[in-house]
Amino acid sequence: MNKIYLDNAATTAIRPEVVQEMVRVLQDNFGNASSSHSYGRAAKNELETSRKSIAKHMGCSAQEIIFTANATEASNWILRGAVTDLKVERIITSKIEHHATLYTVRFLESAYGIDVDYVNVLPNGTIDPTHLVTLLEDKSKKTLVSLMHVNNEIGTVLDIAKIGRICRQYTALFHSDTVQSVGKTEFNLHELEVDFMVASAHKFHGPKGIGFAYVKKGIVLQPMLYGGEQEKGLRAGTEAVHQVVGMAKALELSLVNLNAERTYITELKNYCISQLESHFSDIRINGCETFYNILNVLLPFSEEKTAMILFHLDMKGIAVSRGSACQSGSPRPSHVLAEMLTEDVLKKPSLRISFSHYNTKAEIDAFINELKGV
Ligand code: PLP
């Protein structure tokens, strides 16, 4: 059975060149990057070369990149540090953020008594910037805005350049969860009014267990882990050099191939939409002008039938998602869709199909065929 992976917003297949780079480091450069002898220096060199490469591709300086285990860790550290170290008293976010943000903000609200405001979400799944401005007009408390770039469930895109300018105008700090967009679009962080952003390598064909935080120069956060001088003392613990090297290679390759892969994936997504629309008359797309690799559709079936469809697709080796991976299996409607759909529509199930350059039209055909079969 040929398996078909259409869940690239959950994670992506690692590129073979990335594996090669990682194996090279594991075999030939196993030193501890903190050791002062030649083994340590060689490992340190890999680490700092990777940091420079990532910084170059993100349009920032190497000192602004801090390696973390993943984006969840990075966002936890940033949001918590904003409250405990930068004395932020209010966080403005939205109810369609990933739980890495939402649960952390909720924790900070209960543990530190900070105020939390949620920007309105429009029915098309985008953030209402006018409401954000209204919220920011109250300048009585030091504020951080945390809004994601690309939504992982529906693929709606936030204009982070514009939101950054608004935050600057109202002297609020700005953190953006850019997990779904890093490696899939161009960044020039120094041209954006973004103070913090986060990434996870496994979302752009890199390894799991590694990510990074961008912290704008001049902002000082306290360490997330104590016990060593690694990451300028901000995250103690022996660095996983092979992971970092893998992440840098994955980002480099994603950006080198960006134009071609983006065009290819956009075509695939459009093809999938046209096929779905021609075979299922009352299918509906959730969100508008969504990111090129994410498609979220409202199915014209009952909830029970969708569970059956997912089961059937899985049996046939086809992987799609019901919502985000963290929620699949949950009978509750996704917290993202709950914000943008009306009660009656929400009763119908949604499916998230997310693409990569490894997918083909033949795979889309096979997927549609199976869907039609059920
Ligand atoms: N933010 C978004 C938008 C995501 O899609 C994810 C993962 O699904 C995360 C944060 C968390 O990433 P990780 O689990 O790699 O820390």
Side-chain angles (χ1 to χ4, degrees), residues 11-27:
T11 195
T12 54
I14 195 162
R15 288 184 200 260
E17 303 94 317
V18 172
V19 176
Q20 261 176 26
E21 269 295 273
M22 292 176 70
V23 169
R24 176 187 64 76
V25 174
L26 283 167
Q27 285 178 337

Side-chain angles (χ1 to χ4, degrees), residues 194-236:
V194 175
D195 298 296
F196 310 100
M197 53 79 56
V198 297
S200 260
H202 71 98
K203 302 284 185 182
F204 51 90
H205 305 285
K208 290 171 187 61
I210 188 76
F212 65 89
Y214 161 78
V215 178
K216 204 179 197 63
K217 199 171 165 202
I219 298 179
V220 181
L221 295 180
Q222 291 305 305
M224 68 187 99
L225 294 173
Y226 296 89
E229 290 311 308
Q230 292 91 351
E231 297 303 293
K232 293 180 283 174
L234 294 173
R235 185 175 186 272

Side-chain angles (χ1 to χ4, degrees), residues 76-112:
N76 267 257
W77 173 57
I78 289 165
L79 294 168
R80 193 194 285 240
V83 172
T84 57
D85 312 333
L86 307 177
K87 307 300 170 214
V88 159
E89 300 165 288
R90 176 171 75 143
I91 294 183
I92 300 177
T93 186
S94 84
K95 290 195 173 160
I96 61 168
E97 300 303 302
H98 189 273
H99 286 151
T101 298
L102 281 179
Y103 289 178
T104 310
V105 169
R106 222 182 274 172
F107 159 75
L108 294 168
E109 188 178 21
S110 69
Y112 296 94

Side-chain angles (χ1 to χ4, degrees), residues 120-135:
N120 291 341
V121 176
L122 300 169
N124 64 11
T126 58
I127 297 298
D128 180 359
T130 319
H131 185 222
L132 175 64
V133 169
T134 309
L135 290 171

Side-chain angles (χ1 to χ4, degrees), residues 9-11 69-75 96-101 148-153 177-181 198-203 208-211 294 324-326 352:
T11 195
N70 50 43
T72 303
E73 180 182 283
S75 278
I96 61 168
E97 300 303 302
H98 189 273
H99 286 151
T101 298
M148 72 204 306
H149 190 192
V150 170
N151 185 280
N152 52 303
E153 282 194 46
D177 172 346
T178 48
V179 168
Q180 291 292 341
S181 52
V198 297
S200 260
H202 71 98
K203 302 284 185 182
K208 290 171 187 61
I210 188 76
I294 299 179
S324 66
C326 330
R352 180 185 70 184

